[in-house]
Amino acid sequence: MRHLSVACFIVLAYLTGLRPGEVMGLESGCCPEPPSPSRHLIYGRVFKGVHDQDGNHYSAGQVREVPWVAIPPVVAAIRVLERLTPQGLLFDSAVHAIPRGRISTGQVVGFEAMHNRIEGFIEWASDLALGLDRPHEVIPDDPFGALGVARFRRSLAWHIARRPGGLVALAIQYGHMRTSMSAGYAARGRGGIHELLDIEAAGATASTLATLHDDLAAGTGISGPAARRAIHAAAQAPTFVGSIRTHRQARDILANPALTVYDNPHSLLMCVYNRDRALCHRRDVTDAPSLDRCQPSCANIARTDRHADELLQRAQTLEKQAASEAVPGPLADRLTRRAGHLRSLADRHNHDRINSQEPTA
Ligand code: SF4
């Protein structure tokens, strides 16, 4: 039961963007079934920045005006917790203590206790993985020390900002969450997760530009309709790398159209974003590209030698799969065609590539 409630805490803390105290403050019934098939919403309390009329921090918090959006795994976690604690606080310390079933005191599990329980959960999950002969599922040691309760929110922002084109399932999940957050949680109030998202997005842009700057200085070639704009953006990288500390600094970078360069490892290219030329979101008005819907004929594309190498590696992998006897003919044909397309993109890069020493137009 303890591990189950910790697992639910992890799902809630990681997949909602709620602060740890806000998760702990959730009560049974906080996420009612919506009247029609629409998004579930979480109604809970916020604690940060809540003051009484004398300006003192109000520790009981207040019900948040705008509910949080809950994606399906979060709803499942809440339903499990509601079965453990049908009334009152979902993380009531008496209910979640061992032995079970004590009378509720209205107190929640403390951060320190949850911190220890998360460590216990990690140990238990890793032992289970070894016991089931699945060593690849052992949770590795964290180089930054114990996980604690505060890092989930920041991790979520990091992933949303940097992995939009990663694994497809994650891309959909994170893309959906970004949309949900922009429409609700992120759209209001100071200190919302949108500020974290902006800082992480600016950090991702800065590290993409720094890598590009170093690659170009080392003689890496670049191609594509947006190659010159990418070179221009990379030249500015040294002035702001490592300087993004505040939300305002992040906003300044994200609002600078000359710096909006996003790596897109899923499509093996770089997006040098210009909203007027973007093909991924013709209808939406947005300040960021939809990297998971990238279109190969977009005028914002640039590729470096590194992308060309990765295109060839991916083509080789597909060709190996196509040559396998286990792959049926039509699928093998499709894989071969895809590999040929990737090779032609790499060839085009090698033909068109320029380097940063060449005069810019
Ligand atoms: S379609 Fe264009 S703007 Fe959209 S992600 Fe791809 S390169 Fe960027």
Side-chain angles (χ1 to χ4, degrees), residues 22-359:
E22 293 164 355
V23 175
M24 293 297 192
L26 293 177
E27 296 181 28
S28 193
C30 64
C31 182
E33 287 302 318
S36 58
S38 59
R39 284 182 189 154
H40 284 79
L41 299 173
I42 302 174
Y43 298 87
R45 291 180 172 274
V46 285
F47 302 91
K48 192 175 178 202
V50 180
H51 299 97
D52 64 19
Q53 55 195 15
D54 299 323
N56 300 315
H57 178 61
Y58 188 49
S59 60
Q62 67 184 30
V63 175
R64 191 171 189 276
E65 230 178 279
V66 184
W68 291 277
V69 175
I71 58 174
V74 170
V75 179
I78 290 174
R79 295 291 175 262
V80 169
L81 289 165
E82 285 175 335
R83 291 186 65 182
L84 299 177
T85 55
Q87 287 183 333
L89 293 159
L90 291 179
F91 289 96
D92 187 303
S93 62
V95 180
H96 289 270
I98 303 292
R100 287 177 270 164
R102 290 202 224 141
I103 304 293
S104 168
T105 59
Q107 303 285 314
V108 292
V109 179
F111 287 169
E112 189 61 34
M114 185 55 80
H115 171 98
N116 292 333
R117 289 180 187 196
I118 290 172
E119 292 306 307
F121 177 81
I122 290 171
E123 213 179 302
W124 171 80
S126 294
D127 284 350
L128 187 66
L130 290 174
L132 295 173
D133 200 19
R134 300 180 70 82
H136 53 286
E137 291 180 353
V138 168
I139 300 170
D141 287 340
D142 190 323
F144 297 100
L147 196 55
V149 295
R151 281 167 54 192
F152 293 106
R153 195 164 173 268
R154 188 76 193 244
S155 299
L156 170 65
W158 191 96
H159 278 280
I160 290 177
R162 294 170 191 255
R163 294 282 171 83
L167 296 170
V168 172
L170 284 179
I172 292 168
Q173 189 82 306
Y174 292 137
H176 170 69
M177 290 177 68
R178 173 154 221 160
T179 310
S180 304
M181 289 171 173
S182 301
Y185 184 37
R188 293 228 202 150
R190 289 169 63 242
I193 198 168
H194 69 300
E195 293 189 357
L196 270 183
L197 284 173
D198 285 344
I199 290 172
E200 290 298 339
T205 294
S207 77
T208 300
L209 284 177
T211 304
L212 181 61
H213 175 268
D214 293 349
D215 286 352
L216 292 173
T220 292
I222 186 166
S223 71
R228 302 266 182 211
R229 284 193 286 128
I231 292 172
H232 179 70
Q236 302 182 56
T239 59
F240 61 82
V241 166
S243 68
I244 307 163
R245 302 260 188 280
T246 65
H247 183 231
R248 174 171 291 205
Q249 289 166 333
R251 288 304 306 165
D252 286 348
I253 288 173
L254 295 175
N256 185 339
L259 299 178
T260 46
V261 177
Y262 300 81
D263 198 20
N264 190 349
H266 183 60
S267 301
L268 299 176
L269 55 83
M270 237 169 353
C271 168
V272 189
Y273 185 64
N274 176 320
R275 188 168 68 185
D276 297 337
R277 301 180 189 184
L279 295 185
C280 49
H281 50 66
R282 285 185 172 283
R283 282 184 230 136
D284 319 332
V285 178
T286 164
D287 286 331
S290 302
L291 296 180
D292 53 326
R293 279 183 269 153
C294 188
Q295 302 297 315
S297 54
C298 183
N300 290 338
I301 288 175
R303 281 197 173 89
T304 65
D305 293 346
R306 180 172 55 84
H307 293 115
D309 289 345
E310 288 167 357
L311 284 166
L312 292 177
Q313 284 168 22
R314 198 174 285 180
Q316 271 177 4
T317 305
L318 294 177
E319 284 160 355
K320 267 191 203 155
Q321 287 174 359
S324 162
E325 287 179 4
V327 175
L331 179 56
D333 290 346
R334 212 159 62 229
L335 292 171
T336 305
R337 273 201 303 279
R338 176 79 187 141
H341 174 66
L342 297 181
R343 283 189 180 282
S344 71
L345 289 175
D347 287 347
R348 195 187 309 160
H349 167 82
N350 290 330
H351 180 266
D352 296 347
R353 69 192 281 284
I354 56 174
N355 62 49
S356 56
Q357 273 70 48
E358 292 177 30

